[in-house]
Amino acid sequence: MERLWEVLDRPVGRRPAVAARVTPYVYAVLLVTLGVVCRLTLEPLLGDRVVFLFFVPALLIAAATGGLAPGLTATALSVGAGLMLLSRYRTVVGNEIDGVVFTCLGVVIAVGGQRLRAAQSHAAEMSRHVLDRQAHLASILDTVPDAMVVTDEEGFVQSFSPVAETLFQWSKAEVVGQNFLILMTPSDREALESDMERRAAAGEGRTIGIRRILTGQRKDGSTFPLDLFVGVTNSNGHRFFTGFVRDLTERHTAEARLQELQAELLHVSRLSAMGEMASSLAHELNQPLSAISNYLRGGRRLLETENRDSRALPAIEKAADQALRAGDIIRHMRNFIAGGESDRGETSLNGLLEEASELGLVGAHERGIDTRFDLSPAVDAVEVDRVQVQQVVLNLLRNAIEAMKDSPRRELSVTTSAAGDMAMVSVSDTGHGISPEVADKLFQPFVSTKSGQGMGVGLSICRGIIEAHGGRIWTEPNPPGGTIFRFTLPRATREADVAAQRKEVA
Ligand code: ADP
């Protein structure tokens, strides 16, 4: 009995306050007293019959409000009071049986009351737990940096987070119940509508895809780029869509800034290369040029004499030699600028191109440029200075992007293929093509059609780098319009490479 008591009376959840624990005993005492009073009042009518029935309310209420202990207390009090009332009559067997039955019933009701209270307190604990979790979840959702919009299957907004209120400038009250499409620009609304209808027809429900980049519209009509991620939940047979919206304005600004910085870097690197080349050339050329001028002056003096001194001839020859030396110096300087401090080694051409493109194509997508890569694994291994060749690729990509600035069709592709024992890289664009005025001196320094912006040395440095590697660079018109720049690089002869080549041939 003690164990049963412990089990049944074990507190579930929080302990009730003292007043709440005492109240059921007070009910038991009061209701048993009331039962005695009522029974005594009705005694002329009832005689010695129906004694214990008057204590049933005390039993029920004490057990329901206090559980086992108050229920048993009410039972004991009731049995005592009943026996006291019965003692005034002669022993009536039926009433004693009533007393035993009542006692058993009292114990059962007290146990039942305890169970009821345990269930009640468990339910209260559960609902408190659910409320706590709900509050915790709400606090998390309120602090996530993404705006959150929950819609039903028809697209009507059910919930709108505080971040969404800040982002779209609509208040929750204004948006809930409206179609979420009011948060998009009219053109995106149409596109999303037709997309949702297409998906609904395909049996996917009116979803809008998992992730998309769209243009959001604030209450004041201003627009901003956003990244939308949609999650689907099922609740009671209904589907709900939770959209997480991230404002991309900052990212776009950062990308644009990166692009500007990169352009500046390219410019500075060209300038420094030029400055270096110019000062070295000035220094180195000074010697042969003054020698040429001395030889020619001497030669002229010898020729001015009446008998035309034959020593003029070697002087003029020497002048010619010096002129050739000046040419050599210029070539040497170009190679130095292009290939000086070269760090050549076997490297992956595809990896090199991908890395350079990552930098060179920043912002290309936003400019509506479609990029395509077709990189052959068979010519992947090359023997080059990785950084220098990346400089070439970067240059060609930037030129291609600039050339397509005003083109209706903007397609940029980078492909690799084998060209004899060399690897060939092609960068093609659908831009304005090479202007006829620069076509025949494209790779010479200071040739540019970019008034005020171009230094016109990018391609000449590219040629220097490629030629220093033993390759060649040239252009071809792109059949759909635009230009293809091609250059070749020495391949690294590796067994794996040779095997891949054989496989390709097979
Ligand atoms: P810059 O960038 O200073 O103009 P470059 O040597 O890079 O110097 O290019 C020289 C010129 O070649 C450019 O001004 C442009 O007219 C032309 N050019 C280069 N690439 C392309 C291209 N992809 N399409 C059309 N013209 C190009």
Side-chain angles (χ1 to χ4, degrees):
M1 188 64 198
E2 207 179 312
R3 273 201 69 166
L4 178 71
W5 171 274
E6 270 172 29
V7 171
L8 294 176
D9 202 33
R10 136 178 99 205
V12 182
R14 288 166 210 175
R15 278 183 169 276
V18 177
R21 291 166 71 94
V22 170
T23 312
Y25 295 99
V26 177
Y27 286 153
V29 173
L30 286 179
L31 289 170
V32 169
T33 314
L34 191 66
V36 171
V37 173
C38 290
R39 179 63 182 75
L40 286 175
T41 315
L42 295 174
E43 197 164 57
L45 280 175
L46 298 173
D48 65 347
R49 285 171 292 125
V50 195
V51 175
F52 291 101
L53 197 63
F54 285 85
F55 305 113
V56 172
L59 205 60
L60 286 176
I61 291 174
T65 55
L68 187 68
L72 292 179
T73 308
T75 308
L77 287 174
S78 303
V79 171
L83 291 176
M84 189 191 77
L85 289 172
L86 283 174
S87 67
R88 293 181 303 121
Y89 305 103
R90 267 199 225 124
T91 310
V92 178
V93 174
N95 272 331
E96 282 172 352
I97 291 172
D98 278 357
V100 173
V101 170
F102 181 84
T103 308
C104 294
L105 192 70
V107 172
V108 170
I109 288 176
V111 171
Q114 177 67 23
R115 296 215 158 200
L116 179 73
R117 283 188 50 74
Q120 268 175 347
S121 127
H122 183 64
E125 185 66 16
M126 287 290 290
S127 70
R128 235 189 335 264
H129 184 64
V130 168
L131 286 175
D132 280 354
R133 280 189 58 125
Q134 216 170 9
H136 184 58
L137 191 67
S139 74
I140 291 173
L141 291 176
D142 284 352
T143 48
V144 283
D146 290 347
M148 202 188 67
V149 184
V150 180
T151 73
D152 62 13
E153 203 158 357
E154 294 304 309
F156 292 106
V157 177
Q158 307 292 310
S159 166
F160 201 63
S161 74
V163 184
E165 288 184 303
T166 315
L167 187 60
F168 291 99
Q169 295 170 357
W170 289 96
S171 74
K172 185 176 176 179
E174 287 170 316
V175 174
V176 168
Q178 301 241 43
N179 196 302
F180 82 99
L181 290 172
I182 60 161
L183 306 172
M184 303 293 151
T185 54
S187 59
D188 271 3
R189 269 177 226 168
E190 278 173 30
L192 280 173
E193 264 292 294
S194 57
D195 185 36
M196 285 192 291
E197 272 157 25
R198 186 181 56 72
R199 283 170 190 271
E204 296 173 31
R206 280 173 62 80
T207 62
I208 55 169
I210 292 300
R211 178 154 231 148
R212 330 186 42 142
I213 306 286
L214 296 163
T215 309
Q217 184 166 316
R218 299 190 187 91
K219 189 179 176 182
D220 63 6
S222 58
T223 61
F224 62 97
L226 61 83
D227 183 4
L228 173 68
F229 178 81
V230 182
V232 187
T233 45
N234 275 304
S235 173
N236 291 333
H238 295 286
R239 294 209 309 167
F240 290 93
F241 297 94
T242 308
F244 291 92
V245 181
R246 183 165 294 179
D247 185 357
L248 294 180
T249 313
E250 256 177 50
R251 200 165 94 189
H252 282 204
T253 316
E255 277 175 1
R257 180 73 193 123
L258 185 69
Q259 204 178 330
E260 271 170 33
L261 284 175
Q262 188 215 329
E264 268 171 41
L265 192 71
L266 206 64
H267 189 200
V268 168
S269 77
R270 286 175 186 181
L271 266 183
S272 81
M274 272 217 3
E276 220 176 307
M277 183 155 76
S279 67
S280 305
L281 277 179
H283 180 254
E284 294 288 321
L285 288 178
N286 210 19
Q287 248 188 337
L289 287 178
S290 42
I292 290 170
S293 109
N294 287 342
Y295 281 129
L296 288 177
R297 238 183 259 137
R300 196 179 68 184
R301 268 202 305 275
L302 290 172
L303 287 173
E304 276 167 1
T305 56
E306 262 177 32
N307 50 355
R308 302 212 166 164
D309 197 326
S310 60
R311 281 176 303 165
L313 220 56
I316 290 171
E317 266 168 25
K318 280 186 177 162
D321 285 349
Q322 288 301 323
L324 285 178
R325 197 183 142 213
D328 271 351
I329 288 171
I330 292 174
R331 206 164 34 249
H332 173 79
M333 288 309 304
R334 281 178 63 104
N335 285 349
F336 175 75
I337 295 292
E341 290 154 30
S342 177
D343 189 13
R344 242 178 257 184
E346 188 182 315
T347 191
S348 155
L349 179 59
N350 297 351
L352 173 162
L353 289 171
E354 272 159 15
E355 239 174 66
S357 306
E358 229 177 289
L359 198 63
L361 297 177
V362 169
H365 181 66
E366 279 70 28
R367 292 185 187 195
I369 295 173
D370 269 346
T371 45
R372 194 172 63 84
F373 285 84
D374 192 356
L375 308 179
S376 161
V379 290
D380 190 27
V382 286
E383 186 85 21
V384 298
D385 181 324
R386 196 177 170 85
V387 176
Q388 286 186 350
V389 176
Q390 282 185 334
Q391 180 79 6
V392 172
V393 178
L394 211 62
N395 224 323
L396 297 184
L397 290 175
R398 304 309 312 170
N399 277 346
I401 291 172
E402 280 184 55
M404 291 192 286
K405 201 165 55 189
D406 300 314
S407 300
R409 181 173 172 180
R410 296 174 193 181
E411 291 165 13
L412 195 161
S413 84
V414 180
T415 54
T416 60
S417 54
D421 54 354
M422 304 287 271
M424 183 169 74
V425 179
S426 308
V427 177
S428 69
D429 64 64
T430 52
H432 53 62
I434 304 287
S435 313
E437 58 201 284
V438 294
D440 53 351
K441 45 185 187 313
L442 200 59
F443 296 96
Q444 290 175 14
F446 311 115
V447 172
S448 177
T449 52
K450 301 168 192 168
S451 51
Q453 288 174 351
M455 293 284 300
V457 293
L459 288 178
S460 86
I461 292 177
C462 288
R463 186 172 71 170
I465 291 173
I466 297 300
E467 285 181 356
H469 279 83
R472 204 163 71 79
I473 183 166
W474 71 100
T475 66
E476 285 171 20
N478 197 6
T483 316
I484 306 176
F485 275 83
R486 296 192 200 278
F487 62 87
T488 54
L489 292 169
R491 296 171 67 181
T493 39
R494 283 190 314 177
E495 272 178 34
D497 193 26
V498 173
Q501 208 181 346
R502 270 198 212 115
K503 210 168 139 193
E504 204 176 54
V505 172

